[in-house]
Amino acid sequence: MTGLSAEQKAFYAEHGYVHVEGLLTPAEAADYRARLHALAERQGETDATWESVKGGTSIQHSHDIHFRDAAFTRLLVDERITGLARDAIGGPNVQLHHNKMFIKPPEKGSPFPMHQDYPYFPHRDHSMIAMILHFDDAPVERGCLCVYPGTHKLGPLPAVGSDHHLPEDEYPIAGATPIPARAGDAIVTHYLLVHGSGVNVSDQPRTTLLIQMRDPADLPLNDKHTSRGQGMMLAGIDPGAKWQGFAWEERAV
Ligand SMILES: O=C(O)CCC(=O)C(=O)O
């Protein structure tokens, strides 16, 4: 059995997120963790700290991990992943938007300001979801995900700054619900859900893969956030009638 139970589907519809415990085994989580740390080692220092919280903290990242290690190509089409995505999206067809790893280093791992994902890649039907796969335990002190449950029902909210965060006085991180997770857990969020995470102040890293997926029938409202592999079908079909030949020959029919 893959996918969300009826209870989990109802929880997701009401709160805009669902925490699925033990989606991957501890051994699988440890393997993916080792692969991401090896990748981080190969590529050297990077920092994805958001503009509005820069200063004294850092976070290692890389995008499109399936272009770096084939184990992640297989993971993207794993039915445990696509089953959850299908049920959160609410249809049989699941299309990749992008994916990225984050390693919040010990003691000074950057926070994510509270935000909706919407302003980065707005879509007509709001079908976009994020799935955060945890490869380390992520208790509160390691900067676990924090959410404002139910905010996905508010629609797009006015964001501020170049990093599109939400005003701190309206959505303080202290007022959000923390979702401590274990290695192997998945958290699925709607792209309109207000979410963020705190600083990793622990002595261990917090390692995750975030996969952003959508219904292929949904339309991006701009082409700002393209990435390698975007549009790959992870489950089902793309029901669109668009002719596909060589990329340079594409034409609408
Ligand atoms: O990993 C996290 O704590 C949150 C990441 C996030 O919200 C994002 O990349 O949009």
Side-chain angles (χ1 to χ4, degrees):
M1 257 296 275
T2 60
L4 296 172
S5 66
E7 199 183 329
Q8 287 171 320
K9 281 184 196 166
F11 187 96
Y12 180 80
E14 181 61 20
H15 300 288
Y17 75 96
V18 61
H19 180 183
V20 178
E21 294 178 15
L23 185 76
L24 304 175
T25 66
E28 287 176 309
D31 179 57
Y32 291 123
R33 178 190 194 279
R35 289 172 181 280
L36 291 186
H37 282 254
L39 193 161
E41 190 71 29
R42 286 198 299 281
Q43 72 180 12
E45 239 359 71
T46 59
D47 184 22
T49 304
W50 286 23
E51 205 49 49
S52 59
V53 288
K54 271 197 194 314
T57 63
S58 69
I59 182 163
Q60 277 270 70
H61 77 132
S62 182
H63 275 241
D64 307 327
I65 303 303
H66 58 307
F67 278 79
R68 316 294 303 278
D69 182 333
F72 292 96
T73 312
R74 291 188 288 275
L75 183 61
L76 287 177
V77 293
D78 187 309
E79 287 184 356
R80 291 171 294 178
I81 307 292
T82 56
L84 291 191
R86 181 196 61 212
D87 287 350
I89 289 170
N93 305 321
V94 179
Q95 191 178 50
L96 178 67
H97 188 262
H98 71 281
N99 67 86
K100 55 199 172 186
M101 72 159 195
F102 288 122
I103 302 176
K104 282 192 187 186
E107 281 147 26
K108 51 176 183 48
S110 297
F112 283 94
M114 300 309 290
H115 65 282
Q116 294 178 311
D117 290 335
Y118 170 86
Y120 290 92
F121 28 81
H123 277 62
R124 184 193 59 193
D125 305 331
H126 304 320
S127 72
M128 186 78 73
I129 63 161
M131 186 181 301
I132 300 183
L133 297 175
H134 291 76
F135 302 142
D136 280 313
D137 290 349
V140 172
E141 62 274 18
R142 277 196 215 174
C144 71
L145 191 74
C146 298
V147 303
Y148 273 89
T151 43
H152 65 303
K153 295 181 183 168
L154 301 177
L157 298 166
V160 296
S162 59
D163 59 13
H164 306 302
H165 65 278
L166 292 166
E168 169 94 50
D169 53 341
E170 286 173 44
Y171 291 100
I173 188 155
T177 304
I179 314 176
R182 306 289 302 268
D185 291 0
I187 299 172
V188 183
T189 58
H190 191 279
Y191 90 149
L192 289 170
L193 183 77
V194 175
H195 65 284
S197 61
V199 178
N200 179 5
V201 292
S202 78
D203 59 1
Q204 296 295 322
R206 193 211 76 171
T207 309
T208 54
L209 180 76
L210 188 157
I211 313 169
Q212 212 94 44
M213 292 166 276
R214 68 184 172 199
D215 182 334
D218 201 354
L219 282 182
L221 300 180
N222 65 41
D223 61 1
K224 268 201 315 220
H225 203 296
T226 54
S227 64
R228 292 182 307 163
Q230 190 166 103
M232 209 173 107
M233 292 307 299
L234 306 183
I237 61 158
D238 178 349
K242 196 161 168 256
W243 178 83
Q244 196 134 18
F246 290 115
W248 63 85
E249 288 177 351
E250 271 194 19
R251 61 189 163 86
V253 289

